[in-house]
Amino acid sequence: MSEDAGTGSERYAELAGAGPYGVRPGHALITLVEPHPGHEYAYNRWYEDDHYYAGATAMPWIFAGRRWVATKDLQGLRYPETSAVARPVGAGCYLSTYWVTEGRYDDHMKWTVAINRRLNRDGRVYQDRTHVFTAFQDHEATVYRDGAAGPRDFHALDHPYAGLVLQVVDAEGPRQREELLEWLRSRHLPKRLTGSPAAMVTVFRPTPLPGDRMTYVKQVEGVDTRLTLLWFLQEDPRSCWASLFTGLDAAVAESGLGLVELVAPFVPTVPGTDRYVDQLR
């Protein structure tokens, strides 16, 4: 029997010959998850050993990924205390980020919905967890501290950055979001990045999840009003928190263009280990 029998493999060469295949991160999957109390080790092993691959990077058009973790002390730095994203604000100790090739969002979504149905049917989905903030997002901008020097945004999930800060901002409406994006891109972020340990900030806007998504993932909020920022740091976020990240909410509020709903620091996990799991609670 042919190795291709029953797998559709004969179509792979045909599919590879059509459509975009650049390296720009046109889209992202950003997912903030809280394992239920008592399930921290089991959840981490499931994600590290199975889901990171079978549920993400093995899929077509995801070309980079990285996991991040917020220990108890990092959770304590988050603000604002009342957040529309994380309730309570410390919820969501694991963050996973993935880049999806520009122009391949629809292709990827067809695969990811189908494979997650299969994983769920086969008992390979860990149920004792809560999705705090999970969304596919479209890339809007990347602002670099050093201009053309240094890693690009498509390197960001492979480069050994020491930390990441997730910032979520809501505008009042779609028009205000466009104004907010322009203010961030041209004024606020370039000024904030200058001389800082943050090498770049990527800015995304969320897209709605398909109607046939898995039921344990809630529909995305703020599709028309929200922006998601990822700050990539060359230092541990604790070392620059006071100088760089306090007051982001006040700066946005003073612009009159939006409201900061979450500022949350993370450090990278160490793949294949349970490092930091004993520091989550």
Side-chain angles (χ1 to χ4, degrees):
M1 180 180 292
S2 166
E3 292 182 1
D4 292 347
T7 68
S9 297
E10 67 280 356
R11 295 201 60 208
Y12 287 179
E14 175 188 343
L15 293 171
Y21 67 119
V23 299
R24 185 173 181 269
H27 321 276
L29 170 59
I30 301 171
T31 175
L32 181 64
V33 173
E34 179 75 9
H36 296 171
H39 292 266
E40 295 85 356
Y41 281 94
Y43 169 79
N44 189 57
R45 288 273 44 85
W46 165 75
Y47 206 104
E48 288 277 337
D49 297 343
D50 189 8
H51 199 63
Y52 178 85
Y53 303 103
T57 55
M59 295 193 208
W61 306 114
I62 279 188
F63 67 88
R66 196 163 192 190
R67 292 186 75 215
W68 313 82
V69 61
T71 54
K72 185 65 176 178
D73 60 331
L74 287 170
Q75 296 167 37
L77 296 175
R78 294 182 183 182
Y79 66 91
E81 184 175 349
T82 302
S83 167
V85 175
R87 306 181 185 94
V89 70
C93 53
Y94 281 107
L95 178 71
S96 296
T97 51
Y98 303 96
W99 292 163
V100 180
T101 300
E102 184 176 28
R104 291 294 192 170
Y105 176 80
D106 291 341
D107 296 339
H108 174 74
M109 289 306 297
K110 290 176 183 176
W111 187 285
T112 193
V113 168
I115 201 68
N116 276 287
R117 281 204 199 109
R118 182 181 181 186
L119 291 169
N120 195 57
R121 184 184 67 236
D122 292 346
R124 289 173 62 183
V125 173
Y126 199 86
Q127 301 294 341
D128 290 299
R129 56 173 175 150
T130 298
H131 281 267
V132 176
F133 177 69
T134 293
F136 283 89
Q137 315 228 5
D138 287 342
H139 180 261
E140 287 288 348
T142 300
V143 180
Y144 297 100
R145 180 192 60 202
D146 302 325
R152 305 289 86 192
D153 50 15
F154 49 84
H155 300 123
L157 301 184
D158 295 309
H159 188 80
Y161 285 114
L164 178 85
V165 171
L166 168 69
Q167 180 184 4
V168 181
V169 187
D170 282 341
E172 289 186 5
R175 182 180 62 81
Q176 290 87 345
R177 182 172 69 177
E178 289 304 311
E179 295 175 1
L180 173 64
L181 174 62
E182 182 56 31
W183 176 76
L184 288 167
R185 179 168 43 198
S186 62
R187 297 176 57 190
H188 176 68
L189 292 176
K191 181 179 179 180
R192 203 89 178 187
L193 288 173
T194 300
S196 81
M200 73 176 82
V201 180
T202 58
V203 185
F204 294 88
R205 59 176 175 85
T207 61
L209 289 170
D212 55 354
R213 70 191 184 280
M214 300 308 296
T215 56
Y216 50 79
V217 182
K218 66 180 181 179
Q219 186 54 272
V220 176
E221 299 173 345
V223 168
D224 295 323
T225 58
R226 181 163 287 175
L227 291 174
T228 305
L229 288 70
L230 301 177
W231 299 66
F232 290 90
L233 308 180
Q234 294 172 315
E235 296 179 6
D236 187 301
R238 284 164 283 215
S239 68
C240 58
W241 192 254
S243 61
L244 184 56
F245 292 105
T246 56
L248 288 180
D249 52 347
V252 173
E254 287 171 9
S255 75
L257 298 172
L259 180 68
V260 168
E261 292 291 359
L262 183 65
V263 182
F266 298 84
V267 294
T269 62
V270 180
T273 77
D274 289 319
R275 188 173 180 183
Y276 303 117
V277 176
D278 60 350
Q279 301 173 45
L280 301 179
R281 309 300 183 194

